[in-house]
Amino acid sequence: MIVLGVESSCDETGLALYDTQRGLLAHALYSQVAMHEEYGGVVPELASRDHIRRAIPLLEQVLNNASVPRSAIDAIAYTQGPGLAGALLVGASVACGLGLALDRPVLGVHHLEGHLLSPLLAKERPEFPFVALLISGGHTQLMRVDGVGQYELLGETLDDAAGEAFDKSAKLLGLGYPGGPAISRLAEFGDSGAYQLPRPMLHSKDLNFSFSGLKTAVLTLVKKQTVNICEQDKANIARAFVDAIVDVLVAKCLAALKQTGLKRLVIAGGVGANRQLREALNDAAQKKRFRVFYPELEFCTDNGAMIAFAGAMRLQINPDAAKRDYAFNVRPRWPLDELRVV
Ligand code: KG4
Ligand code: ZN
């Protein structure tokens, strides 16, 4: 079965073809980062309009790259939520319009389920059950994953998401959007001991997070620089920020593994691309004897492949999950625990 995946929940248009026999056939992505950069963040209306421009050319691209005709598509999976309402509507209407035209069933996929399952697209696939740390621009959650659709929330952020903390702190340092990769690169030049930032909720004895105080601490440090902040100081602050957030993320992962007794950890979502976090987790995995799995770097951030794959997994469990009902309805807010497969 070949599933077309359509992702348009934020600022990336992603299309992909996943074949349950042969694996990922092709995927194509257009990132709107350059367009939103000048506004310092995603402008929802511009995002929606750009998804409209990109979706069909990207569809042609994946069909060409996979050398399959449109008629080879058996089902279409699209991101139904959570995300920006207008942006989601574009993907949903493209998916449902294609479904109607090709007489193929469609299936709304949860964006975070796409992220959660994305490490299964890698060569080295984790087996169930595992602990998953989902760290994206909008979410920070620790989950126990027993199978497709079997997710138990262990802890989550009480305020800002990890990616949001990266982006906001980067903005305070005058770095571009998205801030995650920029602050991570700058931190490489920073001196670890120069500044100390708090590790929020490190000893909270639960698996929740809080990152808004960390961003405020970065703001306080930036404000303390009376003259223009020099490049080395910026790098030192970036380093202190990355050290603090990585410490908290690693500590909570270890606590989740201990609490569940599991030995497999999966990292998903855009912040999972972070180099310092990967280094720290790999070290911890060696010392504490657990295994850590990551999606391929290109599938850490938003993409169509994870949506095609999550759709295909859902259809393998329940072939009736996709319907020839083209009256779509997006879900900008959609708790992941509503997804349980019975
Ligand atoms: O998963 P994603 O692409 O989109 C959402 O679903 O939110 O995640 C985007 C987030 C942004 O906040 C971005 O700054 C962050 O992931 N990010 C990173 C890195 N690459 C992307 N954060 C830290 N280090 C990175 N290398
Ligand atoms: Zn995402």
Side-chain angles (χ1 to χ4, degrees):
M1 178 178 54
I2 296 182
V3 180
L4 170 72
V6 182
E7 157 63 31
S8 71
S9 66
C10 190
D11 58 349
E12 257 116 16
T13 324
L15 277 93
L17 290 166
Y18 184 83
D19 184 339
T20 47
Q21 306 275 311
R22 293 186 288 159
L24 188 64
L25 299 182
H27 73 101
L29 187 78
Y30 182 83
S31 168
Q32 305 175 353
V33 160
M35 181 177 73
H36 297 295
E37 206 170 14
E38 84 180 86
Y39 304 94
V42 178
V43 184
E45 178 60 27
L46 294 182
S48 311
R49 292 185 203 182
D50 207 55
H51 287 307
I52 295 174
R53 276 192 288 272
R54 309 293 168 188
I56 299 300
L58 288 174
L59 169 68
E60 297 304 331
Q61 195 177 325
V62 290
L63 289 168
N64 277 337
N65 291 353
S67 303
V68 295
R70 282 182 191 199
S71 58
I73 298 170
D74 295 303
I76 303 167
Y78 63 95
T79 303
Q80 192 174 16
L84 302 170
L88 289 167
L89 279 169
V90 176
S93 56
V94 166
C96 292
L98 265 172
L100 180 65
L102 299 173
D103 188 24
R104 294 293 188 274
V106 295
L107 165 72
V109 165
H110 195 294
H111 180 78
L112 298 182
E113 182 170 46
H115 275 304
L116 260 191
L117 300 178
S118 62
L120 300 178
L121 278 166
K123 276 188 212 89
E124 223 183 322
R125 299 166 54 129
E127 278 171 32
F128 297 115
F130 53 76
V131 167
L133 173 69
L134 186 62
I135 31 178
S136 68
H139 293 84
T140 299
Q141 297 181 325
L142 268 166
M143 229 123 25
R144 181 192 164 105
V145 179
D146 283 286
V148 175
Q150 291 169 28
Y151 313 123
E152 182 195 342
L153 185 65
L154 302 171
E156 63 186 333
T157 182
L158 305 179
D159 41 55
D160 291 354
E164 203 177 347
F166 268 95
D167 294 339
K168 287 179 175 170
S169 300
K171 204 168 182 179
L172 292 170
L173 290 171
L175 306 173
Y177 172 84
I183 200 168
S184 168
R185 272 194 303 274
L186 187 61
E188 295 285 313
F189 301 100
D191 171 1
S192 250
Y195 296 108
Q196 274 292 318
L197 287 175
R199 270 84 175 139
M201 296 186 72
L202 188 63
H203 303 295
S204 65
K205 296 204 165 58
D206 57 24
L207 298 174
N208 291 329
F209 305 84
S210 165
F211 294 120
S212 71
L214 189 52
K215 165 204 67 195
T216 311
V218 171
L219 176 65
T220 311
L221 271 188
V222 172
K223 277 192 172 160
K224 268 196 194 145
Q225 318 291 319
T226 41
V227 278
N228 271 350
I229 184 164
C230 73
E231 283 309 306
Q232 188 57 51
D233 254 334
K234 271 195 196 177
N236 291 345
I237 296 174
R239 180 84 233 177
F241 168 80
V242 172
D243 285 350
I245 199 161
V246 165
D247 268 3
V248 176
L249 291 171
V250 173
K252 296 282 173 173
C253 285
L254 293 180
L257 289 167
K258 193 169 173 199
Q259 183 179 308
T260 55
L262 297 177
K263 290 281 179 200
R264 283 183 290 268
L265 175 68
V266 159
I267 308 297
V271 183
N274 184 266
R275 190 173 152 191
Q276 291 92 348
L277 176 66
R278 286 186 175 213
E279 276 169 17
L281 284 170
N282 292 342
D283 274 359
Q286 260 194 347
K287 282 192 198 116
K288 305 270 179 187
R289 302 188 171 281
F290 63 88
R291 291 192 68 193
V292 55
F293 298 85
Y294 308 94
E296 304 284 351
L297 266 183
E298 59 184 336
F299 300 140
C300 268
T301 43
D302 292 349
N303 63 85
M306 67 183 193
I307 302 303
F309 181 70
M313 293 299 100
R314 286 262 160 193
L315 287 169
Q316 277 189 329
I317 295 174
N318 174 16
D320 295 330
K323 304 222 173 333
R324 282 179 168 76
D325 173 6
Y326 305 112
F328 54 89
N329 161 25
V330 295
R331 303 188 63 179
R333 288 175 188 278
W334 184 4
L336 190 63
D337 53 15
E338 285 180 14
L339 273 185
R340 217 162 297 272
V341 173
V342 279

